[in-house]
Amino acid sequence: MAGDDDEAVRAAVRQAVSVSVATGLYGVSFGALSVAAGLSIPQTAALSLLMFSGGSQFALVGVVGAGGAAGAAIATAGLLGVRNGLYGPQVAPLLGVHGWRRLLAAHLTIDESTAVGTAQRSNAAARAGFWWTGAGVFVLWNAFTLLGALLGDALGDPRTYGLDAAAAAAFLALVWPRVAGRGARLARTVAAAAVVVALAATPFVPAGVPVLLAALVAVLVGMLVPPSDEPTATTPAGPTRDRASGATEGRAR
């Protein structure tokens, strides 16, 4: 029904705004740390605008701040950015955009926009969730990055504010229906295995690599375990119909 679709879109936009605020606030931490690592304010702002991937940004300034070579900083940031490429096959058919919009979508394809977009139950809500989250995080993240860079030392250690916990809490709220609802036993198993892998790898590999290794757990399970017919908490038992485009949805939720 049209009313149900409209409500789903509004709910997706509300999720997008809440995630954007939680993530954007954390940008002040990156701005302050980047300046402390030796980058100028224009360099910090340009890095954030162009790279626009929080994990990669933190990895790059971490290596620079520790006195690492530029090549090592770029390699580390690039390695972490690889995960965004894994989101492409999931997000591209969801959006169905071409030309310059495809380039824009690629730049906005980050953890948050992918999580909110793929969590929706209709194509219209998924598109709204992706675009609103991508644009919202982009604006707020870069605004607070600039604020953090301008304030610099006046902020002290931004990690003591706990803003990183806010972003993690927003992610947990998004994925919780998939790991706690009906038919989510496989998701819980994958999540537990990913946690074990990340914790085991943390003492031995550079920062950021444990996240990639944990993501490989999900990739391997996806390749080795056949799809289950058991409905999940957020997925209707059968395929749904997007009323706006007439396209039938068959992807897992």
Side-chain angles (χ1 to χ4, degrees):
M1 296 178 63
D4 293 338
D5 287 345
D6 292 342
E7 178 54 34
V9 170
R10 286 194 290 270
V13 172
R14 288 195 295 270
Q15 285 185 4
V17 172
S18 62
V19 170
S20 298
V21 171
T23 306
L25 288 171
Y26 193 33
V28 74
S29 178
F30 170 74
L33 290 174
S34 179
V35 172
L39 274 68
S40 66
I41 293 176
Q43 287 173 333
T44 297
L47 173 63
S48 186
L49 285 167
L50 297 176
M51 183 174 285
F52 188 48
S53 179
S56 296
Q57 293 175 220
F58 278 110
L60 190 145
V61 299
V63 174
V64 171
I74 294 172
T76 303
L79 183 62
L80 272 176
V82 167
R83 74 188 190 283
N84 289 339
L86 300 176
Y87 300 150
Q90 180 81 3
V91 171
L94 194 70
L95 302 177
V97 292
H98 304 280
W100 67 269
R101 290 185 179 85
R102 194 175 184 87
L103 293 177
L104 178 61
H107 195 54
L108 298 181
T109 299
I110 54 176
D111 301 329
E112 292 82 2
S113 58
T114 301
V116 175
T118 56
Q120 309 308 316
R121 303 183 64 180
S122 74
N123 279 357
R127 288 191 291 269
F130 175 89
W131 288 113
W132 275 84
T133 305
V137 172
F138 185 84
V139 171
L140 294 175
W141 173 266
N142 285 292
F144 279 99
T145 290
L146 180 60
L147 178 63
L150 290 171
L151 293 178
D153 293 339
L155 289 173
D157 187 352
R159 289 171 294 189
T160 61
Y161 301 153
L163 296 177
D164 53 340
F171 263 112
L172 182 60
L174 281 173
V175 302
W176 185 253
R178 298 192 177 195
V179 299
R182 179 187 174 193
R185 285 174 295 182
L186 179 59
R188 290 196 294 268
T189 303
V190 171
V195 168
V196 171
V197 169
L199 291 177
T202 295
F204 307 106
V205 297
V209 175
V211 176
L212 295 176
L213 295 177
L216 288 179
V217 173
V219 174
L220 290 175
V221 171
M223 294 174 60
L224 299 175
V225 178
S228 173
D229 294 331
E230 186 178 8
T232 64
T234 57
T235 306
T240 59
R241 193 80 176 174
D242 176 26
R243 300 176 67 87
S245 65
T248 301
E249 294 182 341
R251 67 180 186 276
R253 297 292 184 184

